[in-house]
Amino acid sequence: MSVTFSPGQEAARALLARQRYTCLVGGTRSGKTFLTVRAIVVRGLKGAGSRHALLRFRANAARASIALDTLPAVMRTCFPGVALKEHRQDGFFELPNGSQFLIGGLDDKDRVEKILGLEFATMFLNEASQIPYSSATIAFTRLAQVVPGLTQRAFVDLNPVGKAHWTNQLFGEKRDPVSRQPLPNPDDYARAFLNPRDNAHNLSPDFLRALEGLPEKARKRFLEGVYVDEIDGALWTLEVLEKHRCAPEDIPEGRRAAVVVAVDPSGAASRQDEAADEIGIVVAARGTDSHGYVLEDLSCREAPAVWARRAVEAYHRYRADCIVAESNFGGAMVEATIRAADPNVPVRLVTASRGKAVRAEPVSTRYAQGQVHHAGRFPVLEDQLCAFAGSGYTGPGSPDHADACVWALTYLLGIADGTGILEFYRREAEAAPAVSTPRHGWSMPTGAVTGQIPLRAPPGTGTVIGLTGARYVPDADGLVRVASEDAGPLRAVGFVNAEDAASA
């Protein structure tokens, strides 16, 4: 049976065959996973007794997408005469020459240890936009099987996300995603971009037209298959998170004035409940310096009894003061679930009276002011934080990790009660030293950054504090100039461009 490949797909095939580390970045249904799995089967046929790991973040997704879909399609289309035997219980497929394809997920410690206890000639990370770099690093260390005539290879594919993602830093900028230093072996890394047009011979014209009609950012990701810029008016940026990051050993127990475990529950029934959101579980502390410290992200998709035990174990391990749980999703049930794991654990229920972005904004301000630090790296949590804008959450799914983080820091730092960013600004201004003398026209308060963007504040607004930490005082007409970094978030909470207000 013949298979037709476009020029773009042929170039990707050549890259897969010669590069030690290859990343295929493509829009939806661009054929990138089919090409990669085909290349892995070719390698398995070439190297008798070789082992090849095909991994996704979720084990269930790996089985559904690769084991039951892509791999059978590749064998049926490209290798119709080759028998492939499944060892379902052990989680691998085997070729007649003894080569094995292990398919699994990185979301379970026991599964990971079982798979990564072996050495492999090929390592494939499928849909790497969901895989933290820490997990990818561990997987790459198992690229060590020596097979005569077969060079070790690592393959990565994904629908592109933001330019700050580790795959863009590693394969595009040729920098280490952790240290941000140039790679010592940049020539070992290469990538190819694909889009659905490269796979048009296997797609319907109606499907391609539907992709053409997507909003700009979605079109760039799913049709053009390119990385996108960070969201406008983001409440968090990777630069801010990185600037104030600290090592866990920098905040020993003696410097922790208070510790909480925050839980943002979901309706997940078990780990297999892929349709449900994860249960956000984040451990955070208030230091003796009154700063906030995120200590650990334990979020998971588990049955209620399992996630409750995880939260309670964290409570004891960190000697926390209490478990803070969001009560909107069955408050009594949440408390009962936690107390079933340990009836002596103090539980504090908090209620979400406003939207996620409203609750997140005051917390993001503390980050921008350098008052919150991540004690380590938490990729999923940080990706979710950076997907928050003043207009709301723009990322995929639910910001479960981020919600738990916001609850923990709100509780620890006494930031706000959900009444919104303007109320938070008012309270911050009342707590801050008074700013001297009346101002006229476009003047700025002492210590603030001179702004370039003229805005008009909502009626009755006093001193406000921007995400940069700058303090702004509108004049008698409500006019104020703000730094460009603060303009987007302030517009999202009611400030308007001064020119637009004047012409209204």
Side-chain angles (χ1 to χ4, degrees), residues 165-244:
H165 194 262
W166 66 264
T167 54
N168 187 51
Q169 296 178 41
L170 192 63
F171 293 94
E173 300 175 5
K174 304 293 182 74
R175 293 181 179 276
D176 181 271
V178 176
S179 68
R180 306 297 173 91
Q181 296 301 307
L183 296 174
N185 53 339
D187 293 339
D188 286 349
Y189 295 80
R191 71 179 174 187
F193 288 90
L194 298 170
N195 62 56
R197 298 187 190 96
D198 290 311
N199 198 30
H201 48 278
N202 291 317
L203 303 175
S204 72
D206 288 341
F207 177 73
L208 291 172
R209 280 195 294 271
L211 294 180
E212 292 279 3
L214 289 173
E216 179 65 16
K217 279 194 175 179
R219 192 170 66 85
K220 283 183 175 293
R221 181 183 181 193
F222 295 112
L223 176 64
E224 299 175 16
V226 296
Y227 289 92
V228 296
D229 292 317
E230 303 301 318
I231 62 173
D232 296 330
L235 299 184
W236 282 268
T237 66
L238 288 175
E239 289 75 17
V240 168
L241 296 176
E242 192 64 40
K243 179 179 179 182
H244 303 299

Side-chain angles (χ1 to χ4, degrees), residues 145-343:
Q145 187 188 21
V146 177
V147 179
L150 203 61
T151 305
Q152 296 155 354
R153 296 273 190 266
F155 302 144
V156 175
D157 79 0
L158 73 156
N159 289 130
V161 283
K163 291 180 179 178
H165 194 262
W166 66 264
T167 54
N168 187 51
Q169 296 178 41
L170 192 63
F171 293 94
E173 300 175 5
K174 304 293 182 74
R175 293 181 179 276
D176 181 271
V178 176
S179 68
R180 306 297 173 91
Q181 296 301 307
L183 296 174
N185 53 339
D187 293 339
D188 286 349
Y189 295 80
R191 71 179 174 187
F193 288 90
L194 298 170
N195 62 56
R197 298 187 190 96
D198 290 311
N199 198 30
H201 48 278
N202 291 317
L203 303 175
S204 72
D206 288 341
F207 177 73
L208 291 172
R209 280 195 294 271
L211 294 180
E212 292 279 3
L214 289 173
E216 179 65 16
K217 279 194 175 179
R219 192 170 66 85
K220 283 183 175 293
R221 181 183 181 193
F222 295 112
L223 176 64
E224 299 175 16
V226 296
Y227 289 92
V228 296
D229 292 317
E230 303 301 318
I231 62 173
D232 296 330
L235 299 184
W236 282 268
T237 66
L238 288 175
E239 289 75 17
V240 168
L241 296 176
E242 192 64 40
K243 179 179 179 182
H244 303 299
R245 195 186 304 279
C246 67
E249 55 269 22
D250 291 342
I251 44 169
E253 284 193 37
R255 287 185 54 196
R256 302 173 190 174
V259 179
V260 300
V261 179
V263 177
D264 183 71
S266 78
S270 69
R271 181 181 304 161
Q272 285 71 39
D273 191 0
E274 292 289 334
D277 298 326
E278 290 190 357
I279 296 88
I281 305 175
V282 169
V283 184
R286 184 180 74 249
T288 53
D289 55 0
S290 297
H291 283 207
Y293 294 89
V294 178
L295 304 179
E296 191 169 7
D297 181 5
L298 296 167
S299 304
C300 61
R301 183 184 288 106
E302 295 284 3
V306 178
W307 65 251
R309 283 199 302 272
R310 179 177 288 215
V312 167
E313 287 169 0
Y315 166 85
H316 289 295
R317 181 155 40 92
Y318 284 94
R319 300 183 181 182
D321 295 88
C322 65
I323 293 179
V324 176
E326 198 259 306
S327 65
N328 290 41
F329 202 100
M333 179 275 293
V334 172
E335 184 172 5
T337 301
I338 295 172
R339 294 199 183 283
D342 186 336

Side-chain angles (χ1 to χ4, degrees), residues 357-358 361 390-391 420-422 425 458 461 487-496:
V358 174
E361 284 172 318
S391 56
I421 191 70
L422 291 177
Y425 286 150
T461 301
L490 289 174
R491 289 192 193 98
V493 296
F495 284 68
V496 297

Side-chain angles (χ1 to χ4, degrees), residues 32 55-62 65 104-107 125-136 156-162 165-167 221-222 227 274 278 301 378-381 383-384 396-397 401:
K32 59 188 182 299
L55 307 176
R56 289 189 68 160
F57 184 58
R58 302 288 181 201
N60 287 344
S65 176
L106 295 167
D107 59 332
L125 302 184
N126 178 228
E127 294 299 339
S129 60
Q130 304 169 4
I131 297 176
Y133 182 59
S134 57
S135 299
V156 175
D157 79 0
L158 73 156
N159 289 130
V161 283
H165 194 262
W166 66 264
T167 54
R221 181 183 181 193
F222 295 112
Y227 289 92
E274 292 289 334
E278 290 190 357
R301 183 184 288 106
F378 312 108
V380 177
L381 166 62
D383 284 349
Q384 290 185 1
H401 300 237

